[in-house]
């Protein structure tokens, strides 16, 4: 299953490299509008909840056959155009030996938050190579890729700022004050920490691309809490480093990032920008320019509405997406856990009926 098949005249992509998703990331419009959902794995599916009984979240992520099966569930059920690897943004930190658990109903919690210069000095000693070599990740990706055939698998990592927002705080927070404070109180420690997190995320992406993912997404979910000036000075260079040389097409996503959109192109280090539900895609496309694909941006809140309302909204999103060089249909953020899975299946069918 090579990515390209050579003939004497030309090189024609086959397999996932020829899929509508990967072609959209290259800027091509095909006759099929690619659609997948952030957090499509392991959220609203009853078959997921059943599989997870008795297994802690991060243990599930590090059990290859379980992670592979959970990744495949939404692809089988909804007919989406890509799988998203079942894992979590804090998995590479666990692999690096940091004590972290995911508490049900809360999120990632760290036993020892990284707050002082000496905390940072200690943590940056850890060699990210252990993350790059992680066999449970490589094995799970290989299992999924073998099952998916021509359907691409998307790998992912957390962006340095979003990871730092958890690590410095010690758990989920609303305004990520401690991480933002460190940027100004001790810029040297901040850059050391964010630089190390970029190497960890890059290593996590590398493990996934080596094992066969066809695209990667960098989740900077909480970047919207930053001013443009802070984003440029303290965050963008580290996100660029995380994505540099990824070896697969790249998507860069954040929530509440209308004011950061042009910067989220990361000076050409990304092939697509994920847009949340607040910014209409035609407006986003205008701001982003002709060199980048847009991904998004169905409002997750509308998934609870009557079908007629959802259908009109999806058609509007698709219509506005035509302003970009190419469009990958998705939500503006993750699938809410209470979503009726049948609604997602109907949206996929609608997207494929409407086309590009
Ligand atoms: O389909 C998929 O996308 C599943 C794989 C996946 C991904 C891409 C999971 C599984 N987590 C993530 C990324 C992730 N994790 C992000 C970025 C995406 C986003 O913004 O939604 C973030 C911010 C996290 C951190 C995290 N992990 C939270 C958020 C906490 C907060 O600050 O509000 C939570 C609740 C988790 C746990 C988690 N991760 C994944 C699942 C299925 C769960 C729930 C755990 C469980 O079932 O016990």
């Amino acid at each position: 299953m090579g990515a390209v098949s050579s003939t004497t005249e030309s090189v024609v992509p086959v397999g996932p490299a020829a899929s509508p998703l990967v072609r959209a990331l290259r800027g091509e419009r095909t006759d099929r509008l690619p659609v997948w959902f952030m957090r499509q794995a392991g959220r609203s599916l009853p078959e997921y909840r059943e599989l997870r009984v008795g297994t802690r979240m991060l243990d599930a992520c590090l059990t290859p056959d379980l992670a592979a099966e959970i990744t495949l569930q939404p692809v089988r059920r909804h007919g989406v155009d890509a799988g998203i690897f079942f894992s979590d943004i804090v998995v590479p930190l666990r692999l690096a030996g940091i004590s972290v658990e995911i508490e049900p109903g809360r999120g990632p919690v760290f036993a020892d938050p990284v707050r002082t210069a000496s905390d940072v000095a200690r943590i940056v000693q850890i060699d990210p190579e252990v993350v790059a070599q992680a066999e449970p990740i490589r094995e799970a990706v290989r299992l999924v890729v073998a099952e998916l055939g021509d359907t691409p698998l998307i790998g992912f990592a957390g962006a340095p700022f979003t990871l730092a927002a958890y690590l410095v705080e010690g758990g989920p927070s609303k305004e990520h004050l401690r991480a933002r404070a460190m940027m100004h109180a001790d810029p040297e420690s901040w850059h050391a920490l964010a630089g190390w997190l970029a190497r960890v995320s890059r290593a996590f992406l590398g493990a996934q691309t080596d094992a066969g993912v066809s695209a990667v997404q960098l989740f900077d979910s909480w970047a919207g809490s930053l001013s443009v000036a802070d984003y440029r000075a303290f965050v963008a260079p580290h996100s660029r480093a995380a994505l540099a040389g990824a070896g697969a097409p790249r998507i860069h996503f954040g929530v509440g990032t209308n004011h950061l959109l042009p910067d989220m192109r990361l000076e050409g280090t990304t092939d697509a920008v994920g847009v949340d539900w607040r910014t209409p895609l035609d407006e986003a496309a205008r701001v982003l320019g002709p060199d980048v694909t847009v991904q998004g941006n169905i409002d997750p809140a509308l998934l609870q509405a009557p079908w007629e309302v959802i259908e009109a909204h999806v058609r509007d999103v698709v219509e506005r997406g035509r302003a970009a060089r190419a469009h990958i249909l998705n939500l503006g953020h993750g699938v809410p856990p209470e979503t009726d899975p049948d609604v997602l299946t109907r949206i996929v069918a609608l997207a494929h009926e409407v086309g590009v």
Side-chain angles (χ1 to χ4, degrees):
M1 271 205 294
V4 287
S5 107
S6 300
T7 65
T8 43
E9 281 130 39
S10 61
V11 175
V12 184
V14 294
S19 64
L21 178 106
V22 172
R23 291 175 67 180
L25 286 169
R26 285 202 227 100
E28 289 173 46
R29 282 188 176 266
T30 62
D31 52 8
R32 183 174 170 115
L33 178 66
V35 51
W36 68 283
F37 303 110
M38 288 183 281
R39 315 294 297 273
Q40 67 191 14
R43 271 244 163 148
S44 64
L45 300 188
E47 58 268 36
Y48 164 72
R49 293 202 195 101
E50 207 174 293
L51 262 190
R52 272 288 315 286
V53 172
T55 310
R56 300 211 67 166
M57 173 64 191
L58 293 180
D59 296 335
C61 293
L62 294 171
T63 307
D65 52 349
L66 199 50
E69 175 58 22
I70 296 171
T71 302
L72 291 165
Q73 284 176 342
V75 184
R76 289 193 201 109
R77 186 192 257 262
H78 304 307
V80 278
D81 294 282
I84 172 85
F85 182 48
F86 178 78
S87 196
D88 192 82
I89 59 170
V90 300
V91 165
L93 299 176
R94 160 75 75 91
L95 289 167
I98 293 172
S99 179
V100 53
E101 277 297 350
I102 291 186
E103 301 296 343
R106 183 155 179 239
V109 177
F110 291 85
D112 303 303
V114 175
R115 291 188 183 158
T116 64
S118 66
D119 293 340
V120 172
R122 181 172 36 83
I123 213 165
V124 301
Q125 299 302 314
I126 303 171
D127 183 357
E129 193 53 23
V130 292
V131 177
Q133 295 310 324
E135 197 47 40
I137 302 302
R138 290 167 174 260
E139 178 61 12
V141 169
R142 284 194 292 263
L143 289 171
V144 176
V145 168
E147 282 290 314
L148 281 179
D150 291 346
T151 303
L153 176 63
I154 301 170
F156 75 92
F161 172 68
T162 289
L163 286 176
Y166 289 105
L167 194 55
V168 179
E169 202 75 39
S173 63
K174 282 220 163 64
E175 293 177 12
H176 324 299
L177 265 177
R178 282 194 166 94
R180 293 195 290 115
M182 190 194 280
M183 294 173 187
H184 297 279
D186 184 356
E188 203 178 317
S189 291
W190 166 261
H191 284 297
L193 177 62
W196 181 78
L197 289 168
R199 292 194 291 282
V200 166
S201 287
R202 189 165 178 224
F204 190 51
L205 294 176
Q208 296 168 75
T209 49
D210 280 359
V213 301
S214 297
V216 295
Q217 175 157 321
L218 192 69
F219 282 93
D220 208 351
S221 303
W222 311 138
S225 68
L226 295 157
S227 67
V228 174
D230 283 356
Y231 186 77
R232 286 183 187 161
F234 296 106
V235 172
H238 300 295
S239 293
R240 270 206 309 278
L243 278 176
R250 297 159 286 201
I251 308 166
H252 185 207
F253 168 76
V255 180
T257 49
N258 190 44
H259 60 302
L260 299 176
L261 277 181
D263 292 282
M264 290 200 56
R265 293 180 53 201
L266 299 174
E267 297 174 10
T269 312
T270 194
D271 302 283
V273 171
V275 180
D276 87 357
W277 64 94
R278 295 171 181 88
T279 309
L281 286 186
D282 48 343
E283 195 181 312
R286 224 172 16 250
V287 172
L288 285 164
D291 302 328
V292 79
T293 297
V294 297
Q295 176 175 280
N297 70 348
I298 299 168
D299 185 345
L302 265 78
L303 299 176
Q304 311 293 325
W307 173 249
E308 296 67 36
V309 176
I310 299 173
E311 178 173 354
H313 176 56
V314 171
R315 286 182 184 277
D316 182 59
V317 168
V318 172
E319 191 54 44
R320 291 176 189 278
R322 295 189 211 280
R325 68 169 190 180
H327 176 207
I328 298 163
L329 185 64
N330 204 316
L331 304 180
H333 197 184
V335 175
E338 59 278 10
T339 305
D340 173 358
D342 292 343
V343 169
L344 299 179
T345 310
R346 279 185 91 171
I347 291 175
V348 174
L350 175 63
H352 290 160
E353 180 198 311
V354 174
V356 291

